[in-house]
Amino acid sequence: MKPSRRSFLKYGAISLAAPAIVTASPGFAAAPKAGKQAPGIYRQKIGAFEVTAILDGTLLAAAGLFQGYDEDAATAALARQHLPASPDGQIIPVIGYLVNTGDRLIAIDSGTNDSFAATLGNYHDVLAASGVTSDQIDHVIATHLHVDHIGGLTDGQGQRRFANADLIAGQVEWDFWHSDDARAKVPESVDPFFEIARTQTAPYADAVRLVGKDQEVFPGIEMVNLPGHTPGHMGVHLRSEGEELLIWGDIVHATKLQFDNPDWTIAFDSDPDQARATRKRLLDQVATDGVAVAGMHMDFPGFGHVVRHGGAYRFEPMAWRYSL
């Protein structure tokens, strides 16, 4: 029976007429507190594509990692969002995206591993909780070759986690991290990034597909050149049935700070000036075009739109989708 105004009034009157009886009784046995969230899984439809956000975990980015950081500006940005000041830094998620086109499963980035931080390395468990195993993945697209984007390519023994997938990466990105000349020129602190990029991708040597700038890799799926964070950093632009989503990789690291302060860069940017220029150009572009975006370090699940606000921007998360 469908509820009606009359039934609401009827039962409301009964409840008001009933005497209030309050009795003291013991509660049920206390259950232990969970202390953590359920696995981070969220799905969005882009035309005929089903896109699943997979939360690998989180990391803490100290304020000192942001070049141009200003404490007063950060406090003001957080206060605008009804958040307290965060002197210890920003908790930043690490997200991968799974695209089901209907005839293929494509992982865009693969999270990291728990050797990087104890709060990370959950990608494959969350992927399984979403109903997909790594063996079912047909292709893995790497937006770039930093550990928090390719750490999930291998297991603890250095074996492939995606047994049946090829690895798609940008030619410029691949060439940089596999160049001995480039490696010889970087500070010693950056050398481990070269080792990780090579070690994590080595098991896929017979299944690597390198692509150029702004190249369509599958129908409706285009790799977009977005350099600066790394030399060959790329986004993935999805188009299907008149809808679009740009998964922009690491254009923004701190959702709560960098839309208010788009000039701020992060210490992991290989070319901070280029990263800043790419971010500002892209923010202006997606705000003008109204293209939906998602990102690997956006507040989970990361789907939303960018709008202008004065000389800065705001991120407007997509409304929760209850059905697909």
Side-chain angles (χ1 to χ4, degrees):
M1 181 180 71
K2 291 185 177 180
S4 65
R5 181 175 181 274
R6 179 171 299 195
S7 63
F8 278 122
L9 291 173
K10 175 183 175 183
Y11 290 110
I14 291 173
S15 64
L16 288 172
I21 301 174
V22 180
T23 59
S25 60
F28 294 106
K33 295 179 179 179
K36 60 182 180 180
Q37 298 287 5
I41 302 164
Y42 180 73
R43 293 184 172 92
Q44 184 64 258
K45 285 294 291 293
I46 303 298
F49 295 165
E50 184 178 270
V51 184
T52 305
I54 304 292
L55 180 62
D56 177 79
T58 61
L59 53 85
L60 182 66
L65 289 176
F66 293 96
Q67 298 174 13
Y69 179 87
D70 178 84
E71 186 173 353
D72 290 340
T75 299
L78 294 172
R80 180 187 62 77
Q81 299 166 80
H82 309 286
L83 297 168
S86 182
D88 294 331
Q90 291 291 305
I91 294 177
I92 294 176
V94 174
I95 306 170
Y97 293 91
L98 177 67
V99 180
N100 187 336
T101 68
D103 58 5
R104 65 182 80 233
L105 285 172
I106 305 167
I108 302 178
D109 288 351
S110 62
T112 186
N113 53 59
D114 57 9
S115 65
F116 191 56
T119 52
L120 293 168
N122 301 304
Y123 178 91
H124 288 278
D125 289 340
V126 178
L127 182 68
S130 77
V132 175
T133 65
S134 55
D135 289 349
Q136 293 176 280
I137 303 298
D138 298 299
H139 314 278
V140 179
I141 294 176
T143 60
H144 58 296
L145 301 185
H146 277 168
V147 62
D148 51 324
H149 299 261
I150 60 168
L153 288 178
T154 67
D155 61 19
Q157 289 71 48
Q159 301 300 309
R160 287 173 60 158
R161 295 296 299 262
F162 299 93
N164 300 307
D166 58 1
L167 174 62
I168 301 171
Q171 182 78 60
V172 172
E173 184 75 358
W174 185 272
D175 289 348
F176 174 76
W177 294 108
H178 289 82
S179 166
D180 291 337
D181 287 341
R183 188 173 187 174
K185 294 175 183 177
V186 300
E188 186 177 348
S189 60
V190 179
D191 187 76
F193 286 84
F194 281 81
E195 186 64 26
I196 290 168
R198 297 180 183 195
T199 300
Q200 289 298 113
T201 59
Y204 295 82
D206 62 346
V208 174
R209 177 183 171 190
L210 300 179
V211 299
K213 301 175 181 179
D214 302 325
Q215 179 175 333
E216 186 174 66
V217 290
F218 302 108
I221 301 177
E222 179 188 1
M223 301 286 283
V224 181
N225 185 42
L226 300 173
H229 179 57
T230 62
H233 177 261
M234 302 184 88
V236 183
H237 200 147
L238 309 179
R239 296 180 177 90
S240 175
E241 297 182 345
E243 297 184 4
E244 300 180 51
L245 175 71
L246 174 60
I247 301 177
W248 66 15
D250 281 14
I251 289 295
V252 168
H253 285 83
T255 309
K256 297 176 178 66
L257 297 180
Q258 284 181 291
F259 285 97
D260 285 61
N261 304 281
D263 286 333
W264 295 2
T265 62
I266 197 165
F268 304 113
D269 290 334
S270 62
D271 186 335
D273 290 337
Q274 187 178 47
R276 182 187 301 109
T278 296
R279 177 169 48 258
K280 295 175 77 171
R281 172 183 61 80
L282 192 60
L283 289 173
D284 180 72
Q285 178 183 325
V286 296
T288 298
D289 297 343
V291 174
V293 301
M296 281 56 188
H297 300 300
M298 302 292 290
D299 288 343
F300 185 80
F303 300 104
H305 290 86
V306 178
V307 297
R308 293 186 185 83
H309 190 272
Y313 298 87
R314 298 283 187 266
F315 180 69
E316 296 183 347
M318 286 185 182
W320 186 270
R321 189 158 186 163
Y322 296 97
S323 61
L324 294 175

